Amino acid sequence: MELFGYFGALCIGLILGLTGGGGSILTVPILVYVMLIDPIIATAYSLFIVGTTSAFGAVQNYRKGLVDIKNGFLFAIPSFVAVYITRRFLVPLIPDTILEQPFLLTKSTFLMVFFAVIMVLAAISMLKKKKEVVETAGNIAISTLLFQTFTIGIIIGLVGAGGGFLIIPSLVLFAKLPMKKAVGTSLFIIAMNSLIGFLGDVQTITIDWKFLSSFTGLSIIGIFIGIYLNKYVNESQLKKGFAYFVLFMATFILVKELAM
């Protein structure tokens, strides 16, 4: 079982390298259901794994001229502030038992169900065509930009995922970035958000650095393999297939958590 989990770490990086995003959505389910790590700790570990792996991906995209540093910082500031606040203060404040009646809802179950909902939204985003993504973003007023990016940070902080499917439309609309540059810049933002959010966890939980380093190392290897293989695969078909897989995983999580 543990060996399968480490293979999953390689796949996380592989998918990130192949598609420019999406692989991080697998991190928490692998940590929770395969490596049997508590969901609260798993979301913290996911921030480190996603952040570090995305940083390597961002460096590769930067070398290709596909990272807009100025807009990256502009969009990252509200969101990484929200991620840090969420991990440092909000998550520890959530009670272990949220509801007892009419049904039992624990903190761990709440986080996993919320994560499954985010997975569904991510899958829907990946199934949309690029034009549809831009049109969706076009319905957002400029005055809501700071609120939106702050909200993205809260979501990232709660579920430990990268949030690229939320960041990319904003970069395309408000920063007027081409899609490929938006993806590269998104990895840069994800890296900052995730690693700064993880700093909030370092102060509240005990980190197994040996496990985290080895798991992250395999994910980094995966992203380099994915970047190399990217030119040999049909990206649109890959994203479509992965989106359906994410929907399947979200359904599995909902059934497992709510049927207990």
Side-chain angles (χ1 to χ4, degrees):
M1 198 70 167
E2 187 173 311
L3 184 63
F4 182 74
Y6 281 111
F7 176 73
L10 191 69
C11 291
I12 290 166
L14 181 67
I15 293 166
L16 277 168
L18 282 170
T19 68
S24 60
I25 210 77
L26 294 178
T27 311
V28 171
I30 289 172
L31 292 175
V32 172
Y33 299 118
V34 180
M35 307 304 286
L36 304 179
I37 294 173
D38 178 82
I40 287 74
I41 297 175
T43 55
Y45 283 7
S46 178
L47 286 173
F48 181 84
I49 295 162
V50 170
T52 305
T53 306
S54 295
F56 277 87
V59 168
Q60 292 300 305
N61 279 282
Y62 178 77
R63 290 174 176 172
K64 298 176 182 178
L66 296 176
V67 175
D68 187 323
I69 299 294
K70 181 181 177 180
N71 279 300
F73 277 113
L74 179 65
F75 279 73
I77 291 173
S79 54
F80 74 57
V81 169
V83 174
Y84 180 83
I85 291 173
T86 301
R87 297 307 303 185
R88 180 67 178 87
F89 301 107
L90 181 58
V91 172
L93 282 176
I94 301 174
D96 291 334
T97 302
I98 299 173
L99 283 177
E100 292 185 359
Q101 296 294 335
F103 57 88
L104 179 65
L105 178 63
T106 65
K107 180 178 183 176
S108 296
T109 300
F110 165 74
L111 288 176
M112 292 309 298
V113 170
F114 183 68
F115 185 84
V117 172
I118 297 301
M119 289 177 74
V120 171
L121 294 176
I124 292 171
S125 177
M126 283 185 278
L127 288 171
K128 285 183 178 181
K129 295 179 181 179
K130 293 179 181 179
K131 184 179 179 181
E132 292 177 302
V133 173
V134 176
E135 288 175 348
T136 301
N139 295 322
I140 303 170
I142 295 177
S143 61
T144 65
L145 176 59
L146 291 178
F147 175 77
Q148 180 193 25
T149 52
F150 191 85
T151 303
I152 290 171
I154 293 174
I155 294 171
I156 292 171
L158 284 172
V159 305
F165 74 101
L166 297 169
I167 295 169
I168 289 173
S170 296
L171 290 170
V172 171
L173 175 66
F174 297 111
K176 309 297 183 186
L177 298 184
M179 186 60 68
K180 284 190 175 181
K181 200 161 191 175
V183 170
T185 306
S186 175
L187 285 175
F188 174 67
I189 295 170
I190 289 168
M192 285 194 291
N193 283 345
S194 300
L195 292 174
I196 289 174
F198 180 72
L199 293 178
D201 288 301
V202 171
Q203 302 171 64
T204 58
I205 66 174
T206 302
I207 308 296
D208 183 348
W209 287 106
K210 182 178 179 181
F211 164 77
L212 194 55
S213 299
S214 58
F215 197 94
T216 304
L218 284 172
S219 184
I220 291 169
I221 292 172
I223 200 169
F224 280 111
I225 296 173
I227 290 171
Y228 173 76
L229 293 176
N230 182 269
K231 52 189 173 183
Y232 299 111
V233 298
N234 185 312
E235 182 178 340
S236 62
Q237 290 299 315
L238 181 68
K239 282 191 174 183
K240 185 177 180 180
F242 181 69
Y244 284 117
F245 176 70
V246 169
L247 282 175
F248 170 78
M249 288 295 298
T251 303
F252 170 79
I253 292 172
L254 288 171
V255 170
K256 186 172 179 62
E257 294 296 331
L258 298 179
M260 292 176 64

